[in-house]
Amino acid sequence: MNGPSGEPARASLRVVEGGIGVAVTLAAVASAAGAYLLAAAAGRAGDGHRVRLLLLGALLAGATVGLGVLQQWRTGRRLRTAEQVAIEAAEDLTLTLNGALAPITNYLGELAVAGGPEQRATIAGELRQAVVDAAVRLTTGAARSAFYAVDPAGATLTRVVYAGRSTLPRPTFDAGTPDGDAVLDLVARGDLVFVSDIDTDPMVIPTAPPTYRTVIAVAVTAGTHSLGMLTVDAPTPGELTPVDVELVRVLANLLGCGLAQAYPGDHAKG
């Protein structure tokens, strides 16, 4: 991780690199122009001066070629550096994805061969926690994620697990309130919502207003059965993106698959 001075240092380096590039280009242009002028002057000079002028012109012509090669090398180096940065970023993303998803897939495998209801319930609890942990790890470092289970009557969503920022997410969403009715309808429809800035959406009313400004909520389902809702929020508008929406959707689908295995025939137990 870069320290506070990392970005200014990189900006200064880019300025220096840009200055060097301009200097090399100008030197190449000046050399080419000097070679041309010396060649023209040699045509009008006497024999003794002509030789010296032609030699100097040849040196400048050679410098022009050399500076062109140098500029090509610098361009190639920048391209290789950019390519290496892209490769390293892809490797980092792969490691992050693997690290976040590996526990989830392990728990899904364990559920497939689990014994009785008690063992399945234990694994389901570990799976829920692994999913909210992954939601935080794969979105933004300031994120907070929670899973809410829907009750059999479909009247309440109750927080079961959470991860991320230390401030607790709200404990329940209840029918009969504007935001409760909205998210319960979302779960019943198996839908999702992404609010990039809660100030622009009157439906979202944080219990503690300063705690988050952007939120994703995705229904957790198993086929046509509603199990609950997976949420991710962050303190600053713009911290969550449409890419994060798709990541949370995948995590919600994995969680729904696992809970369906954990409680076969009893889909109310999100």
Side-chain angles (χ1 to χ4, degrees):
M1 182 176 294
N2 293 311
S5 62
E7 185 55 35
R10 286 194 296 272
S12 298
L13 182 60
R14 287 195 293 270
V15 170
V16 172
E17 284 286 328
I20 293 173
V22 171
V24 171
T25 301
L26 290 175
V29 171
S31 296
Y36 172 79
L37 292 174
L38 287 171
R44 299 190 298 272
D47 293 339
H49 291 298
R50 182 182 298 115
V51 173
R52 287 192 292 271
L53 290 173
L54 289 174
L55 286 174
L56 185 55
L59 289 174
L60 288 176
T64 301
V65 174
L67 289 167
V69 171
L70 175 61
Q71 190 72 313
Q72 288 181 346
W73 175 82
R74 293 182 70 255
T75 301
R77 186 187 65 177
R78 286 199 303 273
L79 292 174
R80 288 193 298 273
T81 301
E83 181 181 5
Q84 185 60 35
V85 168
I87 291 172
E88 290 175 356
E91 291 174 348
D92 289 343
L93 177 60
T94 300
L95 289 174
T96 300
L97 283 170
N98 289 343
L101 297 180
I104 296 173
T105 54
N106 286 341
Y107 292 135
L108 291 175
E110 291 179 16
L111 282 170
V113 296
E118 184 175 342
Q119 184 182 11
R120 291 198 301 269
T122 298
I123 298 172
E126 295 170 334
L127 173 64
R128 295 187 193 96
Q129 189 63 55
V131 166
V132 294
D133 288 342
V136 170
R137 186 173 179 182
L138 295 176
T139 53
T140 173
R144 180 181 60 177
S145 178
F147 170 67
Y148 293 83
V150 64
D151 74 325
T156 303
L157 284 163
T158 303
R159 186 187 72 232
V160 180
V161 291
Y162 89 101
R165 301 191 313 278
S166 59
T167 307
L168 285 171
R170 66 187 295 169
T172 62
F173 289 90
D174 301 305
T177 62
D179 52 354
D181 288 340
V183 295
L184 284 164
D185 178 63
L186 178 146
V187 171
R189 290 184 287 107
D191 206 350
L192 64 83
V193 66
F194 171 39
V195 180
S196 59
D197 186 349
I198 63 171
D199 288 347
T200 65
D201 193 324
M203 183 199 83
V204 182
I205 307 173
T207 51
T211 56
Y212 69 91
R213 294 282 303 281
T214 179
V215 63
I216 299 167
V218 180
V220 177
T221 61
T224 59
H225 298 280
S226 300
L227 303 176
M229 177 176 67
L230 180 64
T231 67
V232 179
D233 63 55
T236 306
E239 279 192 90
L240 298 176
T241 70
V243 173
D244 296 320
V245 174
E246 297 308 314
L247 286 169
V248 178
R249 189 206 298 264
V250 169
L251 293 172
N253 290 341
L254 292 172
L255 180 56
C257 176
L259 294 178
Q261 291 184 70
Y263 306 107
D266 189 2
H267 297 294
K269 291 186 177 180

